[in-house]
Each structure stands twice: as structure tokens, then as C-alpha cells.
């Protein structure tokens, strides 16, 4: 977690006033000097807010200290993600890991996501969309546009007449041992 | 002249004090002068000038299309624009010219806006710094502001001025930089986890994320279908309301837009604060929050209270898990959405053609950068049969808990929530790249992505300058589809804090030189 202030120590003390710098004479916070207000409140509350007075953690309504901390991420158990899984992912996604960084990126992502298991979701339904209470709009099945095959074909690199050209299909990717992939090396 | 708000320039155009072509030319030359910011990927000079001429003709005949007629705007490069290259800052779509325009872009053009160009972003809008696109990182205009320069002279050690520039935040950094550096009056961004509000806060502009389902996503190259929304970046809240009025509404081409009719509104300057109830979520004091941002947040709460509003502390107990939940859902949906890039119908295509699988794999290897590939692979992992329940479904359940947190808070009488937008002000690029994209996103999106999970509208308003002379913004989250209330509160707050204008050394002088040459009667 990056410390704020870029190396300088920002010490959070009750009543300490950090001033942002206005410039060009721009009026600021409606003209009232903020410093004065803070020291007034620190002196025990001439503004009549009972709950702020006496509670050193609270300044008005905002807590002065973080109300939670990041949990130490547990390292993944040994061999949780096997080479078979990596290979499977490369085939499914048709995207390669390329190098150690790629593999570590995935492991860190899984570590990060594992923190979710701490939440109790007993009896909670999964949420697909925030608009789940509404019906999706369906328009009438009428043709309103089309006849633009030339425009669409223009963006494809290989075409013949009105066809997109694809290489031969139904040929699975070569197996891990025969493929030119970083995972082979990492074995 | 370029420094004024959209409303003011619209009035100037209507009164004939400036013409659309003159305005367009000035913006274009200013874009050239600020090229080092790298905010734009494509500048559509010819089409922009043509649009400006058509607008001028309409002004001459007295038949303008609306408030946006003749106003220069910029659009993030993941919105499709017919005839203008759309790349998403990726090799996969380099050279791709869409045959159609996104609905939001078309709506802007139908109102007569002048599209200046496409702005830079993180590749496929994945990132929180606008540093990971193939066209290079975007520089924050505040790096060159007098306010920042003066402070850094006082504080700094001997650092090369040019190498210590600051990041804009992301992923709509180009749009934020374009609005902040006065090259356009409004810009479109996209907001999936805070991608509009994060750079808006770091660049000192207003960033609005509307309610999910209010604005059409047709033509926005999708990242996360259940959380994406087009975002609006402007210099003040009034302008955001004007642009929202143009863009919002049902679109038959996007069935996830709601069918409720939308009435554009004008914001009042006066609110009766005694009727307001502001909520301060205590979990938003997250670890790592800078003391300056904390102090500003406190002062803002005090400001509302002194105006007579009820300011109440509330609790959103699942806040700490929202970034993790977002991480799982985002990568899962990304894995699905990126599957369309196979090289057959559009975009980059590899020359390897032994089989379709080999061709797809090679195309995607060549077209995507590390960040995108990493997210696709993570997403696929979470969607594997053995992991589906434990990761994906679990994350969806946590999403419901987070959305319910907000529902409960708003049900108890809270009108608007007040939170920080980012942990601190922006940092230099050389520091930003010390951590990888995922870590940075996890840190920087912490306050913004909960609103995306729940689909609620949120706006960031620039509040004050930090000790380094850099902008800090505060965020307001409103009830679903209550943009009018949200923007009214934001406008009142904006009027109270009177955020200072950025003072760009040297660049404004160049603007004045251009002004003098063109003998315009309208002076800045």
C-alpha cells in the first residue's frame, strides 16, 4: 500500500489542519478561514455538536482513522494452479501467458480474489444486473437497416466476394509438448 | 476565450461574438500547441472544420439545433465513430474504421457539436492511469500549471522538469486532459470502475457517471456489460447537465437502456440545504487515504452542516470487499467480451493460418498487451467449471450485498452520499509505474467502483488544491435515476468551494498570440 505524501510523513493528529493552497486570490470555502474553525472545534465545540466533542476519533462526521485494514493475503497453497490448468486456460482463452510475469499475474489475481471467501453469503441470490427488476426492451421484428455488406467487408483483411475467409477449422491447437509456448519451458 | 464554460460559449455563439469556425480553429491550434500532453490519438481536423462550417451556416440562418451547436467536443477512443479511426489504444484495432457511430456520438453530432478528435486511454479502458495504451501515456496538464510548478520549486530536489510529469488517472485520461487543458468544452469518457471520475478528480474537472441504463451503450466497445456507462467530463456541473440532457434517454439499439422517458432539466443555483440529508459512509475512510483528502472531506461535511443540512454517518459494511468483487466480475466479463477479437471480421489479423485456432491465438497474442491478456486469463480462470461457484457466483452474491447496502442507506432517508474520489492527489509517472496495473487499479478504484456495482449515479467535483498545488476532488453518489437531485447538490457545492482555474504557463500566451492574429472582438 502506497504511503500518502510521497515519502513525507503525514501524521494524523486530532485537530491538525492541512491546508490546500488556493491560488490567484480565489475565494475558498465561502470566505470563512478554515483554520480558525478547526481550532474552535478542537477547543471543545463552540458549534454545539455534542457527539464531536470528547471523541478524539471523530471530527464532525468523518472518522479520523481508517475504519478497516487490508487483510494480509494468504499465499496460494503449493501447486494450486498446475501446469495443466495453465495449458487449459491458454487453450480456452486463446491467449498466451508469454513469460513468468504472466503466470505470476494470474497467481496474484487469484490470491487477491481469495479474500472474497471471508464474506458470508448464506441465502443470498447472485446478482446478474442492477436492472433485474425490469424487462429488457424488445423491438418489433421489422427490418430497418441492412444492405451494407460492402462496408462490413471493408474492415476484414481477407475476403472473397461476400465471404470472410477463415483458415481450416476443427483442428485443435497442438498439445502442450508440441506447442511453442512458454509453459513448456517452465515445466 | 477557451477557458469559459459551455453555457457561456454557447451564449457567445448565439450572440455572434464568435463564430463556430473560429472557435474550432482555435481549439485545433490549441490541440497542436498542447501535443506533448498526448491527450489525443486522432484529430479529425477536416471533418471538424466541415461541421463547424455547417454550424456557422445554421447560426447565420437562425436555425440552430440546440445548446451544443458549434461546440467543440472530444470523444474517448473506445466509442465507435463512423469514418474516424477507433483504436481503443490497442494494436488489435489499429487502423479500424467503424462503419457506424455510437449512439451517444450520433446524438452529439445531431445537436451540431463539432467532434475534434478521439482521446487517449488505457488499452481497452483497462487501467487507472492512462499509461498503458500503445500510443503512450497521457500527461496531466497540471504538471505544467503555475500552481504546481511554484510548489515544486519550493519543495523539490534537483529533478529534470520534463521527466517528472504527473499521470492523469484513468482510464479516460485523454478526455480529462483535453477538457482540463481547454482544448474542448466537453468530452465523453466511459466509466466501468471509476474510469471517468478518477481522471476527472486528478485533472480538476467535473466527471459524471450517470445511472446504469440511462445512457445508451450502443457503439461503446464493451468492457463489462453490467457496469459500463458512458461518462461525461466538463469544466462545471451546469455543463454536465446540458450534455446529460442531450445524451440520456431510451435507445432501441441498446436494450439495457430503460424505457422511462427522460426530461432534460436545468439546475437551480439555490437549494434549501435544510431539506437535504447527506450521508458519510464510514468505511470510505480506507487505509491509504491521504490526510489532505481526509481534511477536505471533513470540511465538506462541515460545510453542508453549517448550511443547515442533516449530515449523518452511515455504514456500507461490505465496502472493503467491493474492490475484490469488482476484480472477479470485471475479469470474467472481460474474458467474454474480448472473445470477439479474432481477426476474422475486423481488426488485426495474424499471418499464421494453419488453422482457425492457431490464427486466433496468434492474432490475440500480437494484438493485446500484457494487461488485457492478464485480465482475460484471470477471467477465464474464475469461469472454469471448478471455480465458477467459488469465485464467479460468490462475487455475484457479494455484488448483491453491496447493492443492498446502498439500498438500505437510501431507504433510511439519505439523499446523497459524500465520499472522497481518490486516495490522494496525483503522482508522477515514474512513481506510478513502480506498481503493476492491477495493483494500481485496486488502489485507485477503491472509492469509485462501488457505484458501478450498484449502478448508481455519481459525480466528482474538484474541491481544492493540495499542498503540492494539485487538484483533489470529492464524490457525490445519488439514488438511481435521480441525476437532477445529485447535480443540484453538486452544483451548490461547486459554488461554495470555488475551485481555482488552472494557470497554464506559456500555453495561454500561445492562445493569445493566435487570438491577436485572428482579430476577434472576443478577448479572454
Amino acid at each position: 500500500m502506497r504511503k500518502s505524501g510521497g515519502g513525507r510523513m503525514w501524521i494524523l493528529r486530532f485537530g491538525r489542519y492541512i491546508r490546500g493552497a488556493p491560488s490567484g486570490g480565489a475565494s475558498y470555502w465561502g470566505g470563512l478561514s478554515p483554520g480558525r474553525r478547526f481550532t474552535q472545534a478542537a477547543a471543545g465545540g463552540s458549534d454545539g455538536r455534542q457527539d464531536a466533542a470528547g471523541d478524539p476519533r471523530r471530527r464532525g462526521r468523518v472518522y479520523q482513522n481508517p475504519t478497516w485494514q487490508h487483510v494480509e493475503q494468504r499465499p496460494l497453497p503449493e501447486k494450486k494452479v498446475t501446469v495443466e490448468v495453465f495449458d487449459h486456460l491458454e487453450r480456452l482463452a486463446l491467449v498466451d501467458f508469454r513469460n513468468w510475469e504472466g503466470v505470476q499475474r494470474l497467481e496474484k489475481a487469484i490470491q487477491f480474489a481469495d479474500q472474497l471467501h471471508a464474506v458470508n453469503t448464506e441465502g443470498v441470490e447472485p446478482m446478474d444486473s442492477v436492472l433485474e427488476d425490469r424487462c429488457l426492451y424488445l423491438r418489433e421484428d421489422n427490418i430497418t437497416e441492412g444492405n451494407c455488406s460492402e462496408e462490413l467487408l471493408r474492415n476484414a483483411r481477407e475476403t472473397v466476394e461476400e465471404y470472410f475467409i477463415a483458415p481450416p477449422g476443427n483442428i485443435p491447437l497442438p498439445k502442450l509438448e508440441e506447442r511453442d509456448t512458454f509453459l513448456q519451458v517452465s515445466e | 476565450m477557451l477557458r469559459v464554460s459551455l453555457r457561456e460559449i454557447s451564449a457567445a455563439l448565439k450572440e455572434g461574438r464568435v463564430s463556430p469556425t473560429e472557435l474550432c480553429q482555435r481549439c485545433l491550434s490549441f490541440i497542436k500547441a498542447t501535443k506533448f500532453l498526448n491527450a489525443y490519438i486522432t484529430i479529425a481536423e477536416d471533418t471538424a472544420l466541415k461541421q463547424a462550417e455547417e454550424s456557422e451556416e445554421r447560426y447565420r440562418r437562425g436555425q440552430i439545433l440546440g445548446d451544443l451547436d458549434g461546440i467543440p467536443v472530444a470523444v474517448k477512443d473506445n466509442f465507435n465513430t463512423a469514418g474516424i479511426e477507433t483504436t481503443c489504444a490497442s494494436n488489435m484495432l489499429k487502423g479500424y474504421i467503424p462503419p457506424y457511430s455510437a449512439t451517444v456520438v450520433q446524438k452529439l453530432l445531431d445537436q451540431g457539436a463539432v467532434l475534434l478528435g478521439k482521446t487517449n486511454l488505457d488499452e481497452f479502458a483497462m487501467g487507472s492511469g492512462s499509461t498503458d495504451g500503445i500510443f503512450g501515456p497521457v500527461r496531466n496538464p497540471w504538471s505544467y500549471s503555475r500552481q504546481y510548478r511554484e510548489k515544486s520549486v519550493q519543495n523539490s530536489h534537483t529533478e529534470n522538469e520534463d521527466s517528472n510529469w504527473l499521470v492523469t488517472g484513468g482510464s479516460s485520461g485523454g478526455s480529462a486532459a483535453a477538457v482540463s487543458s481547454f482544448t474542448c468544452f466537453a468530452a465523453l469518457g466511459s466509466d466501468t470502475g471509476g474510469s471517468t471520475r478518477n481522471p476527472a478528480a486528478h485533472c480538476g474537472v467535473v466527471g459524471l457517471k450517470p445511472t446504469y441504463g440511462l445512457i445508451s451503450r450502443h457503439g461503446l466497445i464493451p468492457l463489462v456489460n453490467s457496469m459500463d456507462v458512458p461518462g461525461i467530463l466538463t469544466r462545471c456541473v451546469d455543463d454536465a447537465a446540458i450534455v446529460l440532457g442531450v445524451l440520456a434517454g431510451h435507445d432501441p439499439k441498446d436494450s439495457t437502456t430503460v424505457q422511462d422517458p427522460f426530461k432534460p432539466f436545468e439546475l437551480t443555483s439555490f437549494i434549501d440545504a435544510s431539506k437535504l440529508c447527506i450521508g458519510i459512509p464510514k468505511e470510505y475512510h480506507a487505509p491509504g487515504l491521504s490526510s489532505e483528502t481526509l481534511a477536505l472531506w471533513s470540511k465538506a461535511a462541515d460545510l453542508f452542516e453549517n448550511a443547515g443540512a442533516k449530515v449523518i454517518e452511515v455504514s456500507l459494511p461490505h465496502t472493503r470487499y467491493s474492490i475484490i468483487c469488482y476484480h472477479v466480475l470485471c475479469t470474467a466479463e472481460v474474458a467474454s467480451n474480448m472473445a470477439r477479437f479474432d481477426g476474422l471480421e475486423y481488426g488485426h489479423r495474424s499471418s499464421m493460418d494453419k488453422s482457425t485456432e492457431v490464427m486466433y491465438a496468434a492474432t490475440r497474442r500480437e494484438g493485446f498487451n500484457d494487461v488485457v491478456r492478464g485480465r482475460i486469463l484471470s477471467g477465464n480462470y474464475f469461469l472454469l467449471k471448478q471455480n465458477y461457484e467459488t469465485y464467479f457466483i460468490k462475487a455475484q452474491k457479494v455484488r448483491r450485498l453491496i447493492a443492498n447496502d446502498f439500498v438500505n442507506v437510501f431507504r433510511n432517508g439519505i439523499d446523497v452520499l459524500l465520499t472522497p474520489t481518490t486516495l490522494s492527489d496525483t503522482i508522477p509517472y515514474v512513481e506510478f509505474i513502480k506498481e503493476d496495473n492491477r495493483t494500481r487499479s485496486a488502489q485507485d478504484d477503491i472509492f469509485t467502483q462501488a457505484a458501478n456495482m450498484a449502478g448508481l449515479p455519481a459525480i466528482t467535483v474538484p474541491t481544492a488544491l493540495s499542498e503540492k498545488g494539485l487538484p483533489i476532488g470529492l464524490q457525490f453518489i445519488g439514488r438511481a435515476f435521480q441525476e437532477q437531485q445529485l447535480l443540484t447538490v453538486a452544483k451548490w457545492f461547486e459554488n461554495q468551494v470555488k475551485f481555482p482555474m488552472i494557470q497554464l504557463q506559456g500555453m495561454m500566451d500561445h492562445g493569445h498570440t493566435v487570438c491577436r492574429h485572428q482579430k476577434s472582438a472576443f478577448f479572454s
Side-chain angles (χ1 to χ4, degrees):
Chain A
M1 210 64 214
R2 182 164 48 87
K3 281 203 166 35
S4 60
R8 269 171 285 152
M9 283 293 290
W10 291 106
I11 307 160
L12 212 60
R13 274 198 285 263
F14 175 63
R16 167 131 186 219
Y17 167 48
I18 316 290
R19 186 163 27 111
S23 84
S27 140
Y28 178 63
W29 295 110
L32 200 55
S33 159
R36 208 159 19 97
R37 289 195 57 237
F38 261 48
T39 41
Q40 269 178 358
S46 56
D47 48 16
R49 277 175 297 166
Q50 302 100 317
D51 45 356
D55 185 347
R57 290 172 306 149
R58 313 243 334 245
R59 164 104 251 119
R61 296 290 178 275
V62 177
Y63 265 86
Q64 291 297 293
N65 294 311
T67 50
W68 54 276
Q69 291 297 333
H70 287 290
V71 175
E72 185 68 44
Q73 288 175 38
R74 275 171 295 163
L76 292 181
E78 193 65 37
K79 280 290 167 191
K80 170 168 178 167
V81 193
T82 59
V83 174
E84 282 74 37
V85 173
F86 285 125
D87 177 40
H88 187 47
L89 285 174
E90 276 200 344
R91 282 164 183 286
L92 275 181
L94 288 179
V95 148
D96 63 328
F97 281 93
R98 187 130 348 149
N99 49 31
W100 268 121
E101 242 179 21
V103 168
Q104 280 173 338
R105 210 175 284 129
L106 175 64
E107 290 182 337
K108 281 198 215 143
I110 302 172
Q111 241 183 340
F112 189 61
D114 276 340
Q115 295 171 73
L116 265 188
H117 300 131
V119 188
N120 180 2
T121 50
E122 193 76 39
V124 179
E125 285 298 305
M127 177 187 246
D128 291 313
S129 162
V130 293
L131 298 177
E132 57 189 0
D133 295 331
R134 298 172 186 250
C135 279
L136 281 187
Y137 168 75
L138 288 178
R139 58 191 169 97
E140 291 302 315
D141 190 13
N142 298 322
I143 302 174
T144 51
E145 53 185 3
N147 283 328
C148 52
S149 47
E150 222 182 88
E151 273 180 355
L152 296 177
L153 288 167
R154 204 177 297 155
N155 276 313
R157 201 161 291 196
E158 290 187 37
T159 56
V160 134
E161 291 176 19
E162 294 211 329
Y163 292 90
F164 295 107
I165 302 188
N170 284 325
I171 304 174
L173 271 184
K175 290 219 238 315
L176 180 61
E177 308 80 62
E178 296 149 22
R179 220 158 72 226
D180 174 24
T181 164
F182 161 76
L183 293 176
Q184 213 185 60
V185 175
S186 76
E187 180 84 50
Chain B
M1 181 211 330
L2 298 182
R3 283 185 284 186
V4 303
S5 73
L6 205 154
R7 190 177 282 269
E8 289 165 350
I9 200 73
S10 181
L13 284 168
K14 288 182 187 136
E15 291 164 22
R17 282 180 279 150
V18 68
S19 77
T21 38
E22 192 183 341
L23 188 59
C24 177
Q25 273 161 354
R26 270 199 223 188
C27 286
L28 286 171
S29 67
F30 211 61
I31 293 175
K32 290 196 184 87
T34 51
K35 212 166 154 158
F36 55 89
L37 292 177
N38 202 18
Y40 286 82
I41 296 178
T42 311
I43 303 172
E45 196 162 332
D46 297 330
T47 50
L49 286 170
K50 196 152 107 16
Q51 285 160 1
E53 277 163 15
E54 286 167 6
S55 173
E56 194 157 319
E57 184 57 38
R58 286 192 292 269
Y59 273 102
R60 208 174 300 148
R61 278 190 266 127
Q63 290 170 346
I64 58 171
L65 295 166
D67 282 335
L68 288 183
D69 208 324
I71 308 275
V73 298
V75 160
K76 186 174 177 184
D77 208 15
N78 59 354
F79 286 92
N80 279 317
T81 41
I84 302 176
E85 190 184 359
T86 299
T87 61
C88 295
S90 172
N91 275 319
M92 186 57 88
L93 286 180
K94 202 162 170 195
Y96 169 64
I97 301 185
Y100 71 103
S101 281
T103 301
V104 290
V105 172
Q106 194 57 52
K107 281 188 174 173
L108 287 177
L109 295 175
D110 288 343
Q111 286 287 307
V114 172
L115 179 58
L116 291 174
K118 310 298 289 299
T119 56
N120 206 347
L121 60 156
D122 277 307
E123 180 155 342
F124 280 112
M126 298 188 200
S128 63
S130 301
T131 51
D132 281 320
I134 58 165
F135 297 101
V138 185
R139 298 188 183 202
N140 194 325
W142 284 84
S143 323
Y144 304 96
S145 67
R146 189 171 301 153
Q147 291 107 324
Y148 176 66
R149 285 267 159 99
E150 282 172 0
K151 295 281 165 171
S152 57
V153 159
Q154 289 168 20
N155 296 330
S156 80
H157 329 111
T158 48
E159 275 153 359
N160 182 355
E161 233 182 35
D162 195 50
S163 67
N164 217 26
W165 52 270
L166 310 157
V167 296
T168 47
S171 58
S172 312
S175 291
V179 174
S180 172
S181 61
F182 308 117
T183 56
C184 64
F185 290 87
L188 284 186
S190 69
D191 197 313
T192 307
S195 294
T196 296
R197 291 161 285 155
N198 184 300
H202 284 146
C203 292
V205 296
V206 168
L208 169 64
K209 172 213 169 289
T211 314
Y212 179 83
L214 185 64
I215 298 191
S216 171
R217 287 182 299 115
H218 175 76
L220 165 62
I221 295 172
L223 189 65
V224 180
N225 291 0
S226 63
M227 298 187 218
D228 275 350
V229 276
I232 298 169
L233 292 131
T234 52
R235 272 176 237 140
C236 65
V237 179
D238 258 334
D239 296 350
I242 296 176
V243 180
L244 181 70
V246 167
L247 297 181
H250 175 66
D251 180 20
K253 291 187 187 163
D254 178 0
S255 67
T256 58
T257 50
V258 297
Q259 294 166 64
D260 307 341
F262 177 79
K263 273 208 307 280
F265 49 81
E266 257 206 45
L267 297 175
T268 57
S269 315
F270 170 74
I271 61 164
D272 183 4
S274 61
K275 297 213 172 75
L276 261 187
C277 188
I278 306 282
I280 307 281
K282 69 178 194 215
E283 288 85 1
Y284 274 64
H285 188 156
L289 181 67
S290 81
S291 46
E292 286 177 316
T293 312
L294 176 66
L296 279 180
W297 189 17
S298 311
K299 286 203 299 206
D302 294 344
L303 191 72
F304 278 102
E305 198 159 23
N306 292 332
K310 260 203 313 223
V311 177
I312 303 181
E313 184 197 87
V314 296
S315 177
L316 297 168
H318 296 94
T319 301
R320 78 182 70 189
Y321 300 110
S322 66
I323 190 73
I324 307 165
C325 179
Y326 172 72
H327 163 74
V328 174
L329 292 178
C330 172
T331 47
E333 295 215 31
V334 156
S336 168
N337 277 322
M338 295 291 126
R340 71 191 67 200
F341 297 109
D342 54 16
L344 266 187
E345 291 164 35
Y346 44 75
H348 173 71
R349 178 176 175 143
S350 162
S351 48
M352 297 186 55
D353 58 359
K354 273 210 291 277
S355 70
T356 48
E357 305 271 309
V358 164
M359 192 274 278
Y360 293 163
T363 301
R364 290 154 74 81
R365 186 208 322 248
E366 294 161 19
F368 292 142
N369 73 357
D370 290 342
V371 177
V372 180
R373 278 183 303 113
R375 289 208 194 183
I376 295 174
L377 288 163
S378 311
N380 274 104
Y381 179 81
F382 297 134
L383 291 171
L384 287 177
K385 237 191 290 200
Q386 65 256 40
N387 298 327
Y388 199 79
E389 270 295 324
T390 46
Y391 288 99
F392 185 66
I393 299 287
K394 180 84 179 181
Q396 286 192 317
K397 291 180 180 175
V398 176
R399 182 177 183 179
R400 184 178 293 283
L401 290 175
I402 293 167
N404 285 344
D405 280 352
F406 281 102
V407 164
N408 291 334
V409 159
F410 286 124
R411 196 184 326 178
N412 288 330
I414 303 284
D415 294 312
V416 162
L417 292 168
L418 169 65
T419 76
T421 311
T422 50
L423 286 170
S424 70
D425 54 6
T426 187
I427 58 173
Y429 175 70
V430 291
E431 270 205 47
F432 185 83
I433 51 175
K434 284 186 188 155
E435 298 270 10
D436 76 337
N437 185 292
R438 191 191 56 82
T439 318
R440 282 293 177 213
S441 296
Q443 290 166 355
D444 299 335
D445 286 344
I446 202 158
F447 299 125
T448 47
Q449 39 73 29
N452 292 85
M453 301 274 267
L456 299 172
I459 186 169
T460 171
V461 178
T463 307
L465 294 179
S466 67
E467 269 214 9
K468 291 201 210 101
L470 296 171
I472 297 183
L474 288 179
Q475 172 178 240
F476 294 93
I477 304 176
R479 297 174 195 232
F481 301 105
Q482 300 299 318
E483 272 80 359
Q484 183 161 11
Q485 184 184 55
L486 177 70
L487 289 174
T488 309
V489 173
K491 178 172 173 176
W492 181 86
F493 181 71
E494 180 188 52
N495 287 338
Q496 298 298 310
V497 304
K498 295 190 180 43
F499 184 75
M501 191 176 287
I502 182 175
Q503 287 163 25
L504 294 168
Q505 304 166 304
M507 283 190 255
M508 288 318 285
D509 296 331
H510 182 96
H512 284 195
T513 317
V514 173
C515 176
R516 254 179 272 132
H517 287 164
Q518 291 181 337
K519 291 195 189 128
S520 167
F522 194 99
F523 296 104
S524 33

